[in-house]
Amino acid sequence: DGTPETLQEVSDHQHQWQVSQEFQINGKAFDNALNYVAGLYYFEEAGYVHDYVPFEGILYVYDLQNDVNNKNEAAFFHADYRLGNWGFTAGGRYTDVQAEFIGGQADLNDFPSAILNPPNVTQYPGVFRYFPPGDNAQSWKIFDPTFGVQYHINDDVMAYLSWGKGFKAGGWTTRLSAAITSATQAQFSPETTKAWELGLKSSWFDNHLRANAAAFYTDYDGIQLNIQQGISPVYTNAGNAKIIGGELELQSIVGHGLAVNFAGSYIHAYYTYVNP
């Protein structure tokens, strides 16, 4: 603001590294009627975020640690099988997620939380900690399947129906308005989806027109969002929702270098539950 006061002069220091490795086996069988892929996957990341947000004379927010370490180990498979005019799809992914976190949100004084909570200065004398010291861990073992069926009306037209599940891992929020006594108070759970899709893929007029249409429905649970709690935006499971929609895609080659394309979609999304 041009004054000598230290107000909202935010500094931010971040570091992150990651490593991943995947092994796959791909193949065909039964006279090419079966296509399959299977594999193993490993992912690990670690890092930290340290920021300093001063409000002159009132509040000095900074991070002591905020260290994170995440590991994912997964096995997956996916297979497509053609039987006459019918096609069948089946797949799945088993994921073992391990998350570790050391929270470090703190103040150089005790405003505003110390009004309601006694200062937690056991590890860093003179520093007010919002997040209790110590290593915290969560883990999830999740299997996500997918299934589908296709009917080939002819070589140019195929109708299909599919269903599948997915997830996004949980964790801990790092922005608190008041001190907590246990890290479980800052945990959030994985968000999950179940999705259905019904559609048609087709080619017409000697491949001069491609027409694809689909209708879809998603059941979305435990959506992770920032919501306002006190003076802080807190990341948590904010609610559940349903998503209903459809889409149409047309691609045509008229000739003489002219192509005409059209795409449109309609989505109706609404919350069925919102965190109070």
Side-chain angles (χ1 to χ4, degrees):
D1 58 1
T3 73
E5 298 297 327
T6 305
L7 180 64
Q8 279 285 68
E9 294 181 3
V10 180
S11 66
D12 188 89
H13 183 204
Q14 302 184 21
H15 175 76
Q16 189 263 5
W17 67 265
Q18 69 182 55
V19 60
S20 63
Q21 177 65 54
E22 183 170 324
F23 298 98
Q24 283 191 11
I25 181 170
N26 302 271
K28 298 176 181 292
F30 306 117
D31 293 328
N32 295 331
L34 176 67
N35 291 288
Y36 64 86
V37 57
L40 300 173
Y41 178 76
Y42 176 81
F43 172 83
E44 182 177 359
E45 67 170 348
Y48 58 79
V49 176
H50 297 167
D51 59 3
Y52 181 75
V53 185
F55 293 84
E56 179 65 36
I58 300 177
L59 178 65
Y60 302 88
V61 179
Y62 79 116
D63 295 322
L64 300 168
Q65 289 173 294
N66 273 345
D67 300 335
V68 65
N69 182 264
N70 295 319
K71 294 180 181 179
N72 282 21
E73 299 170 340
F76 59 90
F77 74 94
H78 192 96
D80 293 306
Y81 183 71
R82 181 74 179 265
L83 182 62
N85 287 353
W86 292 91
F88 303 92
T89 298
R93 185 184 190 94
Y94 175 81
T95 308
D96 184 350
V97 182
Q98 304 167 41
E100 296 181 353
F101 178 68
I102 302 176
Q105 183 186 347
D107 287 346
L108 293 180
N109 56 27
D110 56 5
F111 179 86
S113 294
I115 300 174
L116 303 175
N117 301 277
N120 178 0
V121 295
T122 56
Q123 187 176 3
Y124 297 90
V127 173
F128 177 79
R129 291 193 64 134
Y130 289 80
F131 216 101
D135 195 5
N136 308 284
Q138 297 186 72
S139 63
W140 302 275
K141 293 177 172 57
I142 299 176
F143 179 70
D144 289 324
T146 184
F147 298 99
V149 60
Q150 308 92 37
Y151 183 70
H152 297 261
I153 300 171
N154 54 49
D155 290 341
D156 295 324
V157 182
M158 184 266 284
Y160 67 93
L161 174 66
S162 66
W163 173 86
K165 291 177 61 180
F167 83 98
K168 180 181 177 182
W172 295 264
T173 188
T174 59
R175 288 296 181 104
L176 302 171
S177 302
I180 58 176
T181 57
S182 172
T184 58
Q185 297 173 259
Q187 290 181 184
F188 56 88
S189 301
E191 62 181 25
T192 61
T193 62
K194 298 176 183 177
W196 291 259
E197 183 171 331
L198 175 66
L200 183 76
K201 295 185 180 295
S202 62
S203 182
W204 305 87
F205 307 117
D206 195 22
N207 295 324
H208 281 73
L209 173 66
R210 177 179 296 166
N212 300 324
F216 52 85
Y217 169 78
T218 300
D219 198 356
Y220 202 167
D221 292 330
I223 303 173
Q224 299 167 4
L225 292 173
N226 274 313
I227 63 173
Q228 198 71 20
Q229 291 184 358
I231 62 173
S232 298
V234 175
Y235 204 66
T236 188
N237 300 104
N240 305 330
K242 295 185 184 301
I243 305 170
I244 303 171
E247 58 188 13
L248 174 65
E249 179 186 27
L250 301 175
Q251 298 177 341
S252 68
I253 299 175
V254 179
H256 304 288
L258 176 64
V260 179
N261 302 326
F262 170 84
S265 65
Y266 171 80
I267 296 178
H268 175 51
Y270 57 94
Y271 285 100
T272 58
Y273 165 80
V274 176
N275 188 320

